Amino acid sequence: MTTITTGTDKLTRDALAVLQPGFAGTTAPDWLLRRIGEGLASVALFGRNVTSASQVAALTARLRAERDDVLVAIDEEGGDVTRLEVRTGSSFPGNLALGAVDDPELTRAVARELGRRLAECGVNHNWAPSADVNSNPDNPVIGVRSFGADTALVARHTAAYVEGMQAAGVAVCTKHFPGHGDTAVDSHHAMPRIDVDLATLHARELVPFRAAIAAGSKSVMSAHILLPALDRERPATLSPRILTGLLRRELGYEGLIVTDGIEMRAIASAYGIERGTVLAIAAGADAICVGGGLSDEGTVLRLRDALVAAVRAGELPEERLADAAGRVHALAGWTRRARGASEPGAASQEGTAPGTDIGLVAARRALRATPSDHRPLTTAPYVAVFAPGANIAVGDETPWGIAAELAALLPGTGTGTYGADSAPADVLSAAGERTIVAVVRDAHRHPWMTAALDALLAARPGTVVVEMGVPRAEPRGALYLATHGAARVCGRAAAEFITGATGR
């Protein structure tokens, strides 16, 4: 493909405007600043770009020195998926915990506080919340990122989240349209397929998105999934029937449509990122998320040039590209007007007033204990963490578990991490006479994990079991705790309960 050298003509500027690229490093590289000057309207932040809130604030200030209304996007769901607190774990529980409490006012307050912190860092576009109904318990990529498996519950909490975060002046991006909950395949790796009829899609998957639209969601993210009931040939991200026909015309959505990461294999392996980008914009998407795995200037230029070439070849209507760029600029304008003009954080329920650690409040309320009157542990235990493989959406760099939180309350707490090749005897040997606290994550999806727990409980009936994923099994062990997520605050809530520490 011939490289396009000009960065000033409208066509090229529109092509840059629809991209949401990432970059490497914790300061803005020269190439990124230069492209912003040429028309790039959005920048994406990932965990690799974050060391502290003050560093992010300095970074976003530098970006805005180049373009005042630049959209700075991030994937900050809270809970298991955090970028601002990627090194420590999140101060907020995720969606499943909020769904377990089922108090929309709490969800609204948590989202508002998370939005306030994002706004303080200069982030104004959040790729959250997940509005997926987690109807398939074996879902490898959604799980605790969903508010739950009940459609009505997911809908009311999605709406509350949208309202709370946007009250803080941060545009949400409700995802993954038209619903990624009934899948057993991760679209980071391959193309998921949902084989249900149209009536089921309307009664289940689409209900939370209708609620988000009614609540004023400023953007919606498409899913890289195939839904034959809607389009037998193309995944949602590339489907005019789904993005334009269903989302725009039938549901009446007028905001920004953003794709999930275009370099994910569901798209990249079948279409390539250049072709996928052109097809997505032609289908009705307005912004292309790229940079989770690709973070260089060359990628940005390749996608820019592919869009320009497609227009010049008559494969992509110029007015469609201009419309997409216009929607990006419209959202940027909203965020600029909302900056510093967000609603005050006054809460409507006890325990959520400004200054309250609302994330910990929510994590404590989400904790489920069996039995509920367990005698507190007073001696240092041994924490055995049964760790599943990394989830790309979550990332493997964010710490999780309860060992650090328990050690802060019971000095001398030991810990070890065990995988599918580990033997229960290894845990027993390392623990010695100490009480074992077995920490699992989605044990129902990992037969080896369930078998290890069975063997461990047979040998040590007094073992404490902490499930930090989606709880599916019957409560087991001397104490069974379901945290509904693996955020740092979920670990703290569990440690407080185990030890009887003040705060529960």
Side-chain angles (χ1 to χ4, degrees):
M1 181 181 295
T2 302
T3 300
I4 295 165
T5 57
T6 178
T8 57
D9 64 276
K10 185 178 185 304
L11 177 58
T12 304
R13 293 182 69 83
D14 284 349
L16 279 173
V18 303
L19 304 179
Q20 291 194 333
F23 61 95
T26 56
T27 58
D30 290 342
W31 71 261
L32 184 65
L33 298 174
R34 184 169 61 252
R35 299 306 171 189
I36 291 174
E38 294 174 358
L40 187 68
S42 305
V43 174
L45 301 184
F46 296 88
R48 63 174 177 258
N49 306 121
V50 176
T51 58
S52 68
S54 60
Q55 168 264 324
V56 175
L59 169 59
T60 58
R62 181 65 188 89
L63 296 173
R64 291 206 167 85
E66 199 67 38
R67 183 189 183 104
D68 184 56
D69 66 346
V70 67
L71 284 173
V72 181
I74 200 168
D75 194 1
E76 184 62 42
E77 299 177 14
D80 290 30
V81 180
T82 179
R83 308 307 179 213
L84 283 185
E85 298 182 278
V86 66
R87 311 300 171 199
T88 61
S90 182
S91 299
F92 301 89
N95 285 3
L96 188 65
L98 296 172
V101 178
D102 195 12
D103 179 351
E105 272 306 310
L106 179 66
T107 296
R108 189 174 289 107
V110 167
R112 184 169 55 234
E113 175 60 17
L114 180 54
R116 185 189 67 79
R117 296 192 191 185
L118 288 171
E120 281 187 344
C121 293
V123 175
N124 56 9
H125 190 199
N126 190 16
W127 294 326
S130 167
D132 307 296
V133 180
N134 197 53
S135 54
N136 187 338
D138 292 326
N139 196 315
V141 68
I142 302 300
V144 297
R145 301 168 65 200
S146 166
F147 289 110
D150 179 84
T151 298
L153 179 147
V154 173
R156 61 178 170 266
H157 285 276
T158 296
Y161 190 106
V162 168
E163 293 164 354
M165 181 150 290
Q166 292 188 168
V170 175
V172 303
C173 188
T174 307
K175 61 189 183 185
H176 306 79
F177 185 83
H180 209 311
D182 192 14
T183 62
V185 173
D186 184 345
S187 51
H188 290 88
H189 302 296
M191 181 74 76
R193 178 185 174 111
I194 297 181
D195 285 305
V196 298
D197 58 31
L198 196 59
T200 300
L201 289 172
H202 277 276
R204 186 180 64 187
E205 270 73 19
L206 295 181
V207 173
F209 290 97
R210 290 181 184 273
I213 293 169
S217 182
K218 294 296 180 183
S219 64
V220 168
M221 178 175 283
S222 67
H224 303 330
I225 55 176
L226 191 65
L227 301 101
L230 296 172
D231 191 325
R232 292 183 177 277
E233 298 178 357
R234 291 188 178 178
T237 293
L238 309 184
S239 171
R241 295 179 186 175
I242 294 175
L243 297 189
T244 300
L246 176 60
L247 183 53
R248 287 277 186 234
R249 295 175 185 158
E250 187 172 342
L251 301 187
Y253 181 65
E254 292 296 331
L256 189 75
I257 300 176
V258 184
T259 72
D260 207 344
I262 203 69
E263 74 270 30
M264 292 164 62
R265 290 181 186 173
I267 299 297
S269 293
Y271 300 91
I273 63 170
E274 294 95 335
R275 184 64 178 158
T277 292
V278 170
L279 291 175
I281 297 295
D286 306 304
I288 305 296
C289 169
V290 60
L294 300 173
S295 55
D296 60 290
E297 182 180 19
T299 297
V300 173
L301 297 181
R302 285 164 57 198
L303 299 186
R304 180 201 67 179
D305 292 357
L307 288 167
V308 172
V311 170
R312 291 177 175 170
E315 298 174 356
L316 174 64
E318 186 170 0
E319 59 270 22
R320 168 78 274 271
L321 180 61
D323 173 64
R327 291 180 189 274
V328 173
H329 294 311
L331 180 58
W334 178 88
T335 62
R336 182 168 55 182
R337 292 190 298 273
R339 196 186 314 159
S342 58
E343 295 178 10
S348 59
Q349 61 172 272
E350 183 180 358
T352 61
T356 299
D357 190 345
I358 183 63
L360 183 56
V361 169
R364 288 169 178 162
R365 290 183 62 185
L367 188 68
R368 299 291 180 267
T370 306
S372 59
D373 58 350
H374 175 75
R375 179 175 297 178
L377 194 63
T378 57
T379 58
Y382 181 79
V383 180
V385 181
F386 294 93
N391 179 317
I392 292 179
V394 174
D396 58 6
E397 68 269 47
T398 304
W400 66 280
I402 69 169
E405 303 295 338
L406 269 176
L409 297 171
L410 293 175
T413 294
T415 187
T417 300
Y418 301 89
D421 297 331
S422 303
D426 298 333
V427 180
L428 294 170
S429 175
E433 298 302 315
R434 291 174 289 182
T435 298
I436 297 173
V437 179
V439 182
V440 296
R441 201 171 182 179
D442 290 339
H444 68 281
R445 292 200 303 110
H446 305 284
W448 69 266
M449 202 179 290
T450 300
L453 271 183
D454 289 342
L456 198 57
L457 290 170
R460 291 281 188 89
T463 293
V464 174
V465 178
V466 182
E467 170 61 82
M468 302 196 79
V470 178
R472 294 285 297 174
E474 290 297 318
R476 54 206 310 211
L479 171 66
Y480 179 87
L481 295 178
T483 63
H484 299 95
R488 175 171 51 82
V489 285
C490 295
R492 179 173 169 183
E496 288 178 346
F497 189 91
I498 291 170
T499 62
T502 302
R504 175 61 183 167

Tab-separated table of all heavy atoms in Angstrom, residues 281-326:
chain	number	residue	atom	x	y	z
A	281	ILE	N	-15.879	0.471	9.968
A	281	ILE	CA	-16.381	1.823	9.721
A	281	ILE	C	-17.526	1.775	8.709
A	281	ILE	O	-18.559	2.441	8.882
A	281	ILE	CB	-15.263	2.754	9.222
A	281	ILE	CG1	-14.170	2.905	10.301
A	281	ILE	CG2	-15.828	4.121	8.844
A	281	ILE	CD1	-14.619	3.582	11.571
A	282	ALA	N	-17.388	0.976	7.675
A	282	ALA	CA	-18.446	0.854	6.676
A	282	ALA	C	-19.726	0.290	7.284
A	282	ALA	O	-20.837	0.665	6.887
A	282	ALA	CB	-17.977	-0.037	5.520
A	283	ALA	N	-19.579	-0.588	8.272
A	283	ALA	CA	-20.736	-1.218	8.901
A	283	ALA	C	-21.483	-0.279	9.832
A	283	ALA	O	-22.648	-0.518	10.160
A	283	ALA	CB	-20.293	-2.458	9.679
A	284	GLY	N	-20.811	0.794	10.277
A	284	GLY	CA	-21.471	1.734	11.171
A	284	GLY	C	-20.690	2.091	12.408
A	284	GLY	O	-21.126	2.939	13.198
A	285	ALA	N	-19.532	1.461	12.627
A	285	ALA	CA	-18.691	1.847	13.757
A	285	ALA	C	-18.114	3.239	13.497
A	285	ALA	O	-17.922	3.645	12.350
A	285	ALA	CB	-17.568	0.835	13.954
A	286	ASP	N	-17.824	3.950	14.590
A	286	ASP	CA	-17.294	5.311	14.470
A	286	ASP	C	-15.864	5.437	14.966
A	286	ASP	O	-15.179	6.408	14.622
A	286	ASP	CB	-18.160	6.283	15.275
A	286	ASP	CG	-19.619	6.197	14.903
A	286	ASP	OD1	-19.937	6.372	13.712
A	286	ASP	OD2	-20.453	5.947	15.795
A	287	ALA	N	-15.422	4.520	15.788
A	287	ALA	CA	-14.077	4.599	16.351
A	287	ALA	C	-13.500	3.199	16.451
A	287	ALA	O	-14.206	2.250	16.811
A	287	ALA	CB	-14.098	5.264	17.731
A	288	ILE	N	-12.219	3.076	16.155
A	288	ILE	CA	-11.529	1.794	16.141
A	288	ILE	C	-10.589	1.727	17.335
A	288	ILE	O	-9.612	2.486	17.418
A	288	ILE	CB	-10.721	1.611	14.837
A	288	ILE	CG1	-11.615	1.788	13.607
A	288	ILE	CG2	-10.031	0.246	14.833
A	288	ILE	CD1	-12.708	0.765	13.455
A	289	CYS	N	-10.877	0.831	18.256
A	289	CYS	CA	-9.985	0.609	19.396
A	289	CYS	C	-8.812	-0.253	18.933
A	289	CYS	O	-9.005	-1.341	18.386
A	289	CYS	CB	-10.752	-0.088	20.520
A	289	CYS	SG	-9.719	-0.702	21.863
A	290	VAL	N	-7.600	0.242	19.146
A	290	VAL	CA	-6.403	-0.512	18.772
A	290	VAL	C	-5.292	-0.147	19.734
A	290	VAL	O	-5.163	1.000	20.144
A	290	VAL	CB	-5.988	-0.215	17.312
A	290	VAL	CG1	-5.680	1.251	17.116
A	290	VAL	CG2	-4.810	-1.064	16.886
A	291	GLY	N	-4.522	-1.123	20.131
A	291	GLY	CA	-3.391	-0.792	20.979
A	291	GLY	C	-3.210	-1.655	22.193
A	291	GLY	O	-2.232	-1.517	22.914
A	292	GLY	N	-4.158	-2.582	22.452
A	292	GLY	CA	-3.942	-3.486	23.566
A	292	GLY	C	-2.691	-4.319	23.340
A	292	GLY	O	-1.908	-4.554	24.256
A	293	GLY	N	-2.498	-4.745	22.099
A	293	GLY	CA	-1.301	-5.492	21.762
A	293	GLY	C	-0.398	-4.751	20.791
A	293	GLY	O	0.795	-4.998	20.720
A	294	LEU	N	-0.973	-3.822	20.012
A	294	LEU	CA	-0.219	-3.033	19.048
A	294	LEU	C	-0.131	-1.600	19.563
A	294	LEU	O	-1.140	-1.004	19.914
A	294	LEU	CB	-0.913	-3.055	17.686
A	294	LEU	CG	-1.083	-4.441	17.053
A	294	LEU	CD1	-1.930	-4.345	15.796
A	294	LEU	CD2	0.278	-5.051	16.729
A	295	SER	N	1.062	-1.047	19.592
A	295	SER	CA	1.210	0.260	20.244
A	295	SER	C	2.257	1.134	19.557
A	295	SER	O	2.950	1.903	20.199
A	295	SER	CB	1.604	0.064	21.707
A	295	SER	OG	2.781	-0.729	21.812
A	296	ASP	N	2.338	1.039	18.228
A	296	ASP	CA	3.389	1.763	17.513
A	296	ASP	C	2.797	2.697	16.469
A	296	ASP	O	1.645	2.540	16.048
A	296	ASP	CB	4.334	0.769	16.834
A	296	ASP	CG	3.593	-0.117	15.829
A	296	ASP	OD1	2.786	-0.969	16.287
A	296	ASP	OD2	3.812	0.037	14.626
A	297	GLU	N	3.585	3.641	16.027
A	297	GLU	CA	3.138	4.597	15.031
A	297	GLU	C	2.811	3.915	13.714
A	297	GLU	O	1.856	4.297	13.024
A	297	GLU	CB	4.214	5.655	14.805
A	297	GLU	CG	3.805	6.725	13.805
A	297	GLU	CD	4.888	7.769	13.585
A	297	GLU	OE1	6.077	7.475	13.909
A	297	GLU	OE2	4.556	8.862	13.093
A	298	GLY	N	3.568	2.877	13.385
A	298	GLY	CA	3.327	2.190	12.127
A	298	GLY	C	1.919	1.642	12.014
A	298	GLY	O	1.300	1.685	10.946
A	299	THR	N	1.383	1.123	13.117
A	299	THR	CA	0.021	0.594	13.107
A	299	THR	C	-0.980	1.708	12.818
A	299	THR	O	-1.922	1.537	12.029
A	299	THR	CB	-0.301	-0.077	14.447
A	299	THR	OG1	0.580	-1.188	14.642
A	299	THR	CG2	-1.738	-0.568	14.476
A	300	VAL	N	-0.793	2.843	13.455
A	300	VAL	CA	-1.692	3.978	13.223
A	300	VAL	C	-1.664	4.394	11.758
A	300	VAL	O	-2.715	4.625	11.137
A	300	VAL	CB	-1.303	5.165	14.140
A	300	VAL	CG1	-2.115	6.412	13.785
A	300	VAL	CG2	-1.509	4.800	15.601
A	301	LEU	N	-0.491	4.460	11.182
A	301	LEU	CA	-0.375	4.872	9.778
A	301	LEU	C	-0.981	3.835	8.839
A	301	LEU	O	-1.622	4.199	7.840
A	301	LEU	CB	1.095	5.121	9.432
A	301	LEU	CG	1.779	6.256	10.206
A	301	LEU	CD1	3.213	6.414	9.740
A	301	LEU	CD2	1.010	7.560	10.048
A	302	ARG	N	-0.794	2.573	9.159
A	302	ARG	CA	-1.385	1.512	8.331
A	302	ARG	C	-2.909	1.617	8.304
A	302	ARG	O	-3.536	1.499	7.245
A	302	ARG	CB	-0.977	0.137	8.846
A	302	ARG	CG	0.455	-0.266	8.534
A	302	ARG	CD	0.875	-1.437	9.401
A	302	ARG	NE	0.001	-2.590	9.256
A	302	ARG	CZ	-0.060	-3.599	10.145
A	302	ARG	NH1	0.693	-3.570	11.243
A	302	ARG	NH2	-0.861	-4.618	9.932
A	303	LEU	N	-3.509	1.844	9.467
A	303	LEU	CA	-4.967	1.920	9.535
A	303	LEU	C	-5.479	3.214	8.908
A	303	LEU	O	-6.503	3.217	8.210
A	303	LEU	CB	-5.430	1.804	10.986
A	303	LEU	CG	-5.059	0.494	11.699
A	303	LEU	CD1	-5.694	0.433	13.072
A	303	LEU	CD2	-5.457	-0.722	10.873
A	304	ARG	N	-4.773	4.312	9.141
A	304	ARG	CA	-5.142	5.574	8.478
A	304	ARG	C	-5.125	5.416	6.963
A	304	ARG	O	-6.081	5.786	6.271
A	304	ARG	CB	-4.160	6.665	8.908
A	304	ARG	CG	-4.437	8.034	8.289
A	304	ARG	CD	-3.188	8.915	8.318
A	304	ARG	NE	-2.125	8.392	7.436
A	304	ARG	CZ	-0.948	8.971	7.267
A	304	ARG	NH1	-0.659	10.082	7.932
A	304	ARG	NH2	-0.046	8.440	6.457
A	305	ASP	N	-4.037	4.853	6.475
A	305	ASP	CA	-3.881	4.712	5.031
A	305	ASP	C	-4.896	3.748	4.438
A	305	ASP	O	-5.375	3.938	3.311
A	305	ASP	CB	-2.467	4.254	4.696
A	305	ASP	CG	-1.417	5.318	5.002
A	305	ASP	OD1	-1.805	6.425	5.428
A	305	ASP	OD2	-0.213	5.030	4.825
A	306	ALA	N	-5.253	2.703	5.185
A	306	ALA	CA	-6.254	1.747	4.700
A	306	ALA	C	-7.606	2.423	4.540
A	306	ALA	O	-8.330	2.175	3.564
A	306	ALA	CB	-6.353	0.565	5.662
A	307	LEU	N	-7.958	3.293	5.460
A	307	LEU	CA	-9.232	4.004	5.372
A	307	LEU	C	-9.240	4.975	4.201
A	307	LEU	O	-10.206	5.042	3.428
A	307	LEU	CB	-9.499	4.746	6.686
A	307	LEU	CG	-9.861	3.866	7.883
A	307	LEU	CD1	-9.776	4.661	9.177
A	307	LEU	CD2	-11.262	3.277	7.713
A	308	VAL	N	-8.180	5.731	4.057
A	308	VAL	CA	-8.096	6.692	2.953
A	308	VAL	C	-8.137	5.957	1.611
A	308	VAL	O	-8.851	6.374	0.674
A	308	VAL	CB	-6.822	7.541	3.083
A	308	VAL	CG1	-6.620	8.406	1.837
A	308	VAL	CG2	-6.899	8.426	4.325
A	309	ALA	N	-7.384	4.880	1.505
A	309	ALA	CA	-7.360	4.120	0.259
A	309	ALA	C	-8.732	3.533	-0.062
A	309	ALA	O	-9.153	3.490	-1.232
A	309	ALA	CB	-6.310	3.004	0.348
A	310	ALA	N	-9.450	3.083	0.966
A	310	ALA	CA	-10.781	2.507	0.751
A	310	ALA	C	-11.755	3.566	0.244
A	310	ALA	O	-12.607	3.283	-0.617
A	310	ALA	CB	-11.292	1.887	2.053
A	311	VAL	N	-11.646	4.777	0.751
A	311	VAL	CA	-12.501	5.865	0.255
A	311	VAL	C	-12.161	6.177	-1.199
A	311	VAL	O	-13.050	6.299	-2.054
A	311	VAL	CB	-12.336	7.129	1.138
A	311	VAL	CG1	-13.038	8.325	0.484
A	311	VAL	CG2	-12.906	6.874	2.532
A	312	ARG	N	-10.892	6.275	-1.483
A	312	ARG	CA	-10.467	6.620	-2.846
A	312	ARG	C	-10.809	5.531	-3.851
A	312	ARG	O	-11.041	5.808	-5.046
A	312	ARG	CB	-8.970	6.915	-2.867
A	312	ARG	CG	-8.623	8.215	-2.131
A	312	ARG	CD	-7.127	8.472	-2.078
A	312	ARG	NE	-6.835	9.774	-1.476
A	312	ARG	CZ	-5.631	10.185	-1.136
A	312	ARG	NH1	-4.574	9.400	-1.350
A	312	ARG	NH2	-5.450	11.380	-0.595
A	313	ALA	N	-10.894	4.285	-3.363
A	313	ALA	CA	-11.239	3.167	-4.250
A	313	ALA	C	-12.743	2.958	-4.365
A	313	ALA	O	-13.193	2.090	-5.107
A	313	ALA	CB	-10.581	1.888	-3.740
A	314	GLY	N	-13.509	3.744	-3.636
A	314	GLY	CA	-14.957	3.604	-3.674
A	314	GLY	C	-15.500	2.479	-2.812
A	314	GLY	O	-16.683	2.133	-2.908
A	315	GLU	N	-14.661	1.909	-1.956
A	315	GLU	CA	-15.102	0.810	-1.094
A	315	GLU	C	-15.739	1.309	0.215
A	315	GLU	O	-16.499	0.584	0.856
A	315	GLU	CB	-13.902	-0.086	-0.744
A	315	GLU	CG	-13.270	-0.751	-1.954
A	315	GLU	CD	-12.001	-1.501	-1.591
A	315	GLU	OE1	-11.588	-1.437	-0.413
A	315	GLU	OE2	-11.429	-2.152	-2.487
A	316	LEU	N	-15.413	2.536	0.586
A	316	LEU	CA	-15.940	3.141	1.808
A	316	LEU	C	-16.447	4.528	1.462
A	316	LEU	O	-15.665	5.376	1.018
A	316	LEU	CB	-14.840	3.232	2.876
A	316	LEU	CG	-15.192	3.982	4.161
A	316	LEU	CD1	-16.296	3.265	4.924
A	316	LEU	CD2	-13.946	4.142	5.045
A	317	PRO	N	-17.748	4.781	1.623
A	317	PRO	CA	-18.268	6.113	1.305
A	317	PRO	C	-17.586	7.198	2.138
A	317	PRO	O	-17.458	7.057	3.361
A	317	PRO	CB	-19.758	6.009	1.645
A	317	PRO	CG	-20.064	4.544	1.549
A	317	PRO	CD	-18.823	3.849	2.030
A	318	GLU	N	-17.158	8.267	1.487
A	318	GLU	CA	-16.476	9.338	2.205
A	318	GLU	C	-17.383	9.956	3.264
A	318	GLU	O	-16.919	10.329	4.341
A	318	GLU	CB	-16.004	10.402	1.216
A	318	GLU	CG	-15.149	11.482	1.864
A	318	GLU	CD	-14.492	12.400	0.849
A	318	GLU	OE1	-14.696	12.192	-0.369
A	318	GLU	OE2	-13.760	13.318	1.275
A	319	GLU	N	-18.679	10.033	2.969
A	319	GLU	CA	-19.603	10.610	3.941
A	319	GLU	C	-19.745	9.731	5.184
A	319	GLU	O	-20.009	10.234	6.281
A	319	GLU	CB	-20.961	10.888	3.303
A	319	GLU	CG	-21.672	9.691	2.715
A	319	GLU	CD	-21.326	9.460	1.246
A	319	GLU	OE1	-20.252	9.943	0.796
A	319	GLU	OE2	-22.129	8.805	0.559
A	320	ARG	N	-19.579	8.408	5.033
A	320	ARG	CA	-19.634	7.524	6.206
A	320	ARG	C	-18.433	7.770	7.113
A	320	ARG	O	-18.552	7.850	8.341
A	320	ARG	CB	-19.664	6.047	5.742
A	320	ARG	CG	-19.436	4.997	6.851
A	320	ARG	CD	-20.669	4.760	7.719
A	320	ARG	NE	-20.786	5.682	8.812
A	320	ARG	CZ	-20.281	5.544	10.036
A	320	ARG	NH1	-19.571	4.488	10.351
A	320	ARG	NH2	-20.501	6.452	10.952
A	321	LEU	N	-17.256	7.928	6.512
A	321	LEU	CA	-16.066	8.227	7.310
A	321	LEU	C	-16.208	9.594	7.973
A	321	LEU	O	-15.862	9.763	9.155
A	321	LEU	CB	-14.819	8.187	6.435
A	321	LEU	CG	-13.486	8.484	7.132
A	321	LEU	CD1	-13.208	7.464	8.245
A	321	LEU	CD2	-12.338	8.495	6.122
A	322	ALA	N	-16.730	10.572	7.249
A	322	ALA	CA	-16.908	11.907	7.811
A	322	ALA	C	-17.925	11.881	8.951
A	322	ALA	O	-17.751	12.568	9.972
A	322	ALA	CB	-17.350	12.881	6.725
A	323	ASP	N	-18.982	11.098	8.795
A	323	ASP	CA	-19.984	10.974	9.857
A	323	ASP	C	-19.368	10.359	11.108
A	323	ASP	O	-19.626	10.820	12.240
A	323	ASP	CB	-21.145	10.108	9.368
A	323	ASP	CG	-22.146	9.798	10.463
A	323	ASP	OD1	-22.792	10.735	10.972
A	323	ASP	OD2	-22.265	8.609	10.841
A	324	ALA	N	-18.537	9.327	10.924
A	324	ALA	CA	-17.874	8.688	12.061
A	324	ALA	C	-16.965	9.676	12.774
A	324	ALA	O	-16.990	9.795	14.017
A	324	ALA	CB	-17.072	7.479	11.576
A	325	ALA	N	-16.171	10.414	12.019
A	325	ALA	CA	-15.283	11.405	12.626
A	325	ALA	C	-16.084	12.475	13.352
A	325	ALA	O	-15.695	12.941	14.434
A	325	ALA	CB	-14.395	12.035	11.551
A	326	GLY	N	-17.212	12.873	12.766
A	326	GLY	CA	-18.061	13.874	13.406
A	326	GLY	C	-18.596	13.400	14.747
A	326	GLY	O	-18.697	14.187	15.701
